[in-house]
Amino acid sequence: MKKESYIKFHEDISGKNTNFLIGSGTSSPFIKTLSLGENKPSLEDLLTDTNLDTNAKYMLFYFYYHNWIVKMFMHDEKTEDYKQVFENYKNFIRNGLNILRTEGYQLPKRMNIFTTNYDTFFESVFDNVVLENPLNYFNDGSRGFIDKYINIENYHLNVAHSGVQDNYKKEIPSFNLIKLHGSVSWKDTSQGIKIEYNKENILAKYEELKIYIEKIEDIIDTNSTKEEMIESINNLATDVGEKLLLDFHSDYNDLAIINPTKYKFSQTVFEQHYYQMLRLLSYELERKNTILIVVGFSFADEHIKEIVGRSLSNPFLKVYIVCYDLWQRHKIEELFAGFIDNKIEILPKIETIFVSIFDIEDMSLTFTNSNHEEITEYEYDSNGCSRVYKLPLWKEYNIYLSYKDDDDDSEKIAEGINAFEISSHGIIDDSRDKYFFETSYPKGDIYYLNSLMGSQPPMFDGEENE
């Protein structure tokens, strides 16, 4: 990352209504995303399939609870993955507070965090940071002492410090935390949404179901298509007692969360509050001088995607989307075609990608673009026995293959493909084995965002940080 990028980012968000949209990618690797593997359907895809039987769906919810939800209770706080993610969140909050402290008095010293994560990383970090400096205000939308209840009206607050003798009034930096999909710390009651930490892990009550975890994992590993997985899980569910699954699902429904399905409204017990939180996101994105920074979010939620898409008509809105890899970058470019570079800036800013492929003797590869520019040079990676090509981030690529014994006759492997699509192509050697290209670029997520938001610019050597 260049120093100019760091300075420009700070200038862009200074004095603005700054909002963050945080997704599950920021809590990785402690809490993994819903991906079930490359070229496989996601857990959400399985749960929303209309061919999935009811008992099979309850089994998948058990699988989800066992492999995802339990970790969100934060009972296992000594692992390296937990410490790594906690520090990422902590640096993010510290950096945000440092930016707010330098703001003038034109706008409230406040940032909004909209997150779809159920976990309590933010709450844990808030507790930790406020011990370092009490003159910060972290607002999760709740009021109360012993019994704390969430209300959307609690977010519209400015908090000031007036000194011991009330001889001045200074607004202190604050963060609003809006959990769009609920939280493992929430409970829906007749009085409203109540915050309850240290919730009971219900897995011990359903020890009989544990034997099916490995069987579901085996189904996911051995089947490649969604249809095959659905059929196998439906068959597996016939072996499980229906009452056991019903009892588990009843306990599971006590969680005030929006399930990972596309039919979110019909699945949630706090529908009214969900609507209110979505409206708050919409209102914030319609305001003047507004910044939205998206991290670790795939836009799988149709309602949030629609709100963000509609807000792009606001001439005073600028959106930054931090993409983790080329696949996410490709999907964002498809999703918001026409707004990239105008309203939306994709981060990290990159100029080159790296393409590697298994080294085959006498093979000659040429990468070209529509302007007839060519790249043939490569570095040899002895560990991977592969060639690595450093390519400009062209809009489209053509790939040609030839052999030293036949220089006059080159084969066009690919034509007019983008950077992500390179990995779908490959070459076949003399033994008929096929080797695919692998593409990579500097990965971005909360690490990259922290480098942009950091209170001090990182060290620079004048070169692009690859």
Side-chain angles (χ1 to χ4, degrees), residues 9 75 78 85 89 134 150 154 165-166 182 219 222 234 243 245 334 364:
F9 183 78
H75 294 158
K78 299 187 184 297
V85 175
Y89 276 90
I150 301 276
N154 294 332
Q165 299 179 357
D166 288 332
I219 288 172
T222 56
N234 282 342
K243 184 179 185 307
L245 288 172
E334 281 191 332
S364 177

Side-chain angles (χ1 to χ4, degrees), residues 93 105 114 136 173 197 199 222 237 264 278 359 378 432-433:
I93 295 300
Y105 298 97
F114 294 90
N136 303 310
Y197 293 105
K199 277 194 174 180
T222 56
K264 294 184 168 67
L278 289 178
D359 183 60
Y378 62 90
R432 307 308 297 169
D433 290 328

